[in-house]
Amino acid sequence: MRRSSDDKDLQRKQANRASARRSKLKKKKEFHSLAKQVDILSRQGMDLRTEIARCSGVLETLQEQEKSLRQQVERLAESNPEVAALLAEEEAKRKENKGEEEAAKSGQPGTSAARRHH
């Protein structure tokens, strides 16, 4: 009877070792998978930061160009009354369109559009 108990103990120990080995391999595999994912996400983050920096540079350039163009338009309007009148008319249209867009977003009919239809 002692022999059978020793055999069972030996089998249990072997089964436990095999289970522990499988568990360690599984954890190692999971670790490597997570490390790979960290590497991929780190590279993506770096790429995104680079793209943000590039876009920020483009934005800054465009803002400078816009400022310069607005100054040119102001100088033109100061020296030419017809240009000033056209600019005032375009500004009024732009404000009207902006009001209609905001009214459409809020679900209310635009006041200028409603006046045109009546």
Side-chain angles (χ1 to χ4, degrees), residues 7-90:
D7 287 343
K8 285 182 182 180
D9 285 346
L10 184 60
Q11 285 178 344
R12 185 178 40 78
K13 285 180 183 180
Q14 288 174 341
N16 286 347
R17 285 187 192 119
S19 177
R21 196 175 313 115
R22 285 191 304 273
S23 179
K24 286 178 185 178
L25 287 173
K26 182 180 176 184
K27 285 186 181 203
K28 189 174 183 179
K29 187 176 180 181
E30 288 174 353
F31 174 81
H32 287 295
S33 175
L34 289 172
K36 189 183 233 181
Q37 197 172 5
V38 165
D39 188 45
I40 290 167
L41 292 173
S42 293
R43 275 189 255 133
Q44 286 177 344
M46 196 178 308
D47 290 346
L48 289 171
R49 283 188 290 278
T50 301
E51 181 67 9
I52 288 169
R54 186 191 68 76
C55 289
S56 294
V58 169
L59 176 63
E60 189 175 323
T61 299
L62 291 172
Q63 287 172 332
E64 289 170 4
Q65 289 174 351
E66 178 191 24
K67 182 179 178 183
S68 174
L69 289 171
R70 286 188 184 279
Q71 289 170 346
Q72 289 176 22
V73 168
E74 284 177 21
R75 285 193 299 272
L76 213 95
E78 288 171 0
S79 65
N80 189 330
E82 291 176 8
V83 172
L86 284 172
L87 285 174
E89 187 179 311
E90 286 300 315

Side-chain angles (χ1 to χ4, degrees), residues 94-104 108-112:
R94 188 186 65 75
K95 286 181 180 178
E96 182 178 310
N97 288 337
K98 187 176 181 181
E100 288 174 3
E101 288 173 8
E102 289 174 0
Q108 299 172 355
T111 54
S112 56

